[in-house]
Amino acid sequence: MKYNNQPPVWIDHYLRWRLPAEQFEEVQGDMHELYALWVKEEGKRKANRKYLLNALTFLRPLPKPKFHFHQPNYTYSQATPFDMIRNYFTIAFWAMLRHKAFSFLNIMGLAIGMACSILILLWVTDELSYDRFHAKASQLYRITVDAGDVKAAVTMVPMAAVIQAQIPEVKSAVRLSKYYTHLLEVSERKFEEQRLLYADSNFLSVFTFPLVEGDAKTALSRPDGILLTQKMAEKYFGTEPALGKMIRKDNEEQVRVMGVLADIPANSHLQFDFLMPMSYLARSDERLKNNQWGSFNHYTYLELHENVSTDAASLQKLNTGITNIHKANAKIKAEYYLQPITNIHLHSNFLADLPGHGNIQYVQILTVVAIFILLVASINFMNLATARSARRAKEVGLRKVVGAKREHLIMQFMGESLMIAGISLVLAMVFVALLLPTFNDLSGKQLSLHFLDWQLWLGVGAIALITGLVSGSYPALFLSAFQPVKVLKGTLAGTHASTFLRNGLVVAQFVVSIVLLVGTAVVYNQLQFIQHRNMGYDKENLLYMQMRGNLYNQYQALRTELTQNPLTINFTATQDLPADLHTGTTDIQWEGKDPNLQVIFPSMAVDENFIEVMGMKILAGRSFFKDSKADKDNFIVNEKALQVMGMNLATAVGKPFSFGGTKGTIIGVVKDFNFKPIQQAIEPLVLQLNNWGGYIVIRTKPGQTEATIQALEKISSQLNPGYPFSYNFLDQDLANLYQAETRMGHLFTVFAALAIIISCLGLYGLSAFVAERRTKEISVRKVLGASAPQLVSLLSTDFLKLVLIAFVIATPLAWVAMHQWLEGFAYHIDLSWWMFALAGIAALSIALLTVSYQAIKSALANPVKSLRNE
């Protein structure tokens, strides 16, 4: 009987695919011999099965496959992938221990870089999380208005009800008031609360603010009801249940606690402590009572039906519908836009908006900074690895000689990189835990580490993985490409290429560092400019008190008391403070006005002392006269208003002028002054005579601020005993307007410093490596008479050249970035050459200090000892 002794061809193809080329023929030959034996003894069918089973043992991974041909004296074991991975990490561990100094520099650099990135990741995640906790977040929108030059976050009173009635896509519409300040009292304990909002009764069905006490359906149904947060409930009632308790409001009436809200999440753009029904406010507010069109006072939010499309075309259709409702009821030209609630925190720059919003530009800047810092740390790893390439060349050569393939070497070096990244991650998390309280102080956040949060570990794991892969990619590719013959002969090529790359990476590191240093200098100077800019008035020593309660009824008595006291005699009464003015109207008329022109004029009601106390300057005409009945219909305008109206200083005074329906005359022109944040240009302004009060502003005398506060408190307590005395300073209010910029400046400074430190860690490692490599050269030069300064210069010059090249590259990049940032301010500094020079000198000095240590150490070493060791 004849047998076909050839096994299936497809199994041979499989073996050729699985086995290295140099092993294939040997293995195939052995297996064919066995196949022929199996066919002869057991038949072709069983031989085929045994042949296939043995071939499948080469399919990895398999549990401990053994190349066993059922032949007692012919057994061959093959390593599993797990064995290889274990081997890679073992080698990485010993390599790390062998080069402790370089390992320390790598791990510290990566750990600092990762810690910075994790902190920024926490900050960015928090900024992006605003208002996403609402169950219906994807259906919630706020209405904003564009009325020519003004974009505002407020709408007219009747808008919400009409929209809900006429636009079928809208499920609910809810209005919110601005913040109100009220005096609340429980058991003779009084607190002046500044974060109270009025809302429509459907507020709790639209937003996700859960109640811990009370019924959400009826909580806002009673006009005299009030909701408070858990924190406020503990403040007023301690551990007792607050539901149903009474709170005395403004020394006049009692309101009942209808519910206790869970504390408002920090990532909500709506921050409040108390909530009352809009129906309560409607009892005293004529616009609400009469449902008047004409003034923009309330924030309006819409909840769309679940099945309503929210693509651009559908939202534009809704915008048009809302705008048409406005056109049908109001005279002012305006267009309306829906803003997703999740965009409010980072994409709002509207007039009369709620305070505390973030800035998407800062999120983008810090994200880029995090990437740059991580890149700088990764470059350290690449640089030190390629610098040490000569030391590991023989290792690579020997491995290749004994059969290691390039992919095995790449896996080995990537394994080292990932191991160092993993150790760095652990160290970075320790740094983050230690530095988080300080970071919270700098950023004004309440960030925390939740170690059981899988998203946190996913994020930091991704950072470590990306860092490990990026850091190890080039060294792995570079080292694994060495030719074993050239390595073992000592003729390794590519030295110039690796040096060029190493220098390029150092330049890249310092480009990033110099850009951050320039950014720090620009942000710092812009903040200084904001703080010391001439606002058009003297903001120093301005103490103010907001009038409350009985002070309005005692207004004339208050003025008399202030006038009689030499400490408070220099005072003025004003409706608003010139810090962040939100008023404005389009109801303005003057001679020759274009009937199609729609421009909004903000206004302030001030008394006759305002110009003098604030230190402003009248350019033409006069200020208001005391007790002048005629001046109640007269106006003072600023320079910008003249420009808008086409008037000039010589002709404006005496011209008829109508503002908000009041017809009068322009009696004076005041020099322009800032009454809004510096991001906004000065707008036209109208001053009217104030005879009712608002804020009492006192310019204190130098060294008598405390005495003035005590005098003002005495007057306040005497005329208004039912209200606690409170005061503030105008310059502090102005500083609070720029908290975001101030925090940004602090963060920029910290991260720029850390980027420099990380860069210098790498530079220190490189300088140590170069100094060690040139030990023989330095010793010979020293024997031949070279001085220590000459040797220090020799070792330092090459590094300093790299920093200079980095400065040349970084300068235009920094100029573009900071010029764009400054464009966000209507008034800002000019970029000066010295800011760039300062950053360059700082980087050069720090680099010089870093490399000098190794250079001086080498220059002072004993040449005889060094040459003997060589």
Side-chain angles (χ1 to χ4, degrees), residues 15 44 94 103 152 241 280 302 334 362 412 519 531 584 611 621 660 684 713 715 749 761 768 859:
L15 286 173
K44 188 172 179 61
W94 286 112
S103 300
Y280 179 92
L302 302 182
Y362 295 158
Q412 175 194 330
Q531 291 172 4
I611 301 294
E713 182 179 10
I715 295 172
T749 303
L761 282 176

Side-chain angles (χ1 to χ4, degrees), residues 432-453:
V432 170
L434 294 175
L435 296 175
L436 195 56
T438 305
F439 183 76
N440 280 337
D441 290 340
L442 285 175
S443 62
K445 293 282 188 184
Q446 301 172 8
L447 305 176
S448 58
L449 277 176
H450 300 285
F451 289 101
L452 298 180
D453 183 1

Side-chain angles (χ1 to χ4, degrees), residues 179-355:
Y179 286 115
Y180 279 78
T181 299
H182 289 290
L183 183 69
L184 301 181
E185 177 184 355
V186 172
S187 303
E188 298 184 352
R189 293 187 302 125
K190 297 181 178 180
F191 302 96
E192 197 171 54
E193 304 292 354
Q194 300 181 344
R195 300 206 310 175
L196 188 150
L197 291 175
Y198 291 92
D200 283 328
S201 58
N202 57 348
F203 176 85
L204 293 179
S205 67
V206 173
F207 298 103
T208 306
F209 292 114
L211 286 174
V212 294
E213 291 183 47
D215 184 354
K217 294 180 181 177
T218 59
L220 289 169
S221 59
R222 288 178 53 147
D224 61 344
I226 188 170
L227 306 183
L228 65 167
T229 61
Q230 275 182 299
K231 185 178 179 181
M232 291 297 109
E234 292 176 7
K235 177 180 176 181
Y236 282 86
F237 302 105
T239 56
E240 296 180 8
L243 189 65
K245 298 283 178 62
M246 303 302 290
I247 297 178
R248 193 180 185 202
K249 177 174 170 291
D250 294 332
N251 293 324
E252 294 177 350
E253 57 187 322
Q254 300 282 348
V255 292
R256 182 181 298 276
V257 176
M258 296 296 292
V260 178
L261 293 155
D263 286 336
I264 308 303
N267 59 351
S268 167
H269 84 279
L270 295 173
Q271 291 294 325
F272 55 91
D273 298 319
F274 299 90
L275 201 63
M276 289 190 68
M278 192 69 76
S279 54
Y280 179 92
L281 193 62
R283 299 192 304 191
S284 57
D285 189 313
E286 292 296 324
R287 293 164 299 192
L288 282 168
K289 189 184 300 182
N290 300 319
N291 210 25
Q292 292 177 345
W293 294 86
S295 57
F296 296 84
N297 303 97
H298 294 80
Y299 306 99
T300 302
Y301 296 83
L302 302 182
E303 177 194 348
L304 305 183
H305 286 287
E306 292 180 7
N307 57 350
V308 172
S309 172
T310 54
D311 58 27
S314 301
L315 290 180
Q316 183 55 41
K317 180 183 174 185
L318 290 172
N319 293 337
T320 304
I322 297 170
T323 301
N324 290 337
I325 289 174
H326 170 88
K327 288 179 180 177
N329 295 281
K331 297 178 181 178
I332 301 173
K333 297 176 183 175
E335 294 186 353
Y336 289 81
Y337 298 93
L338 292 181
Q339 181 185 29
I341 191 171
T342 51
N343 283 358
I344 291 177
H345 178 65
L346 292 176
H347 299 271
S348 292
N349 187 23
F350 298 102
L351 181 71
D353 205 346
L354 293 164

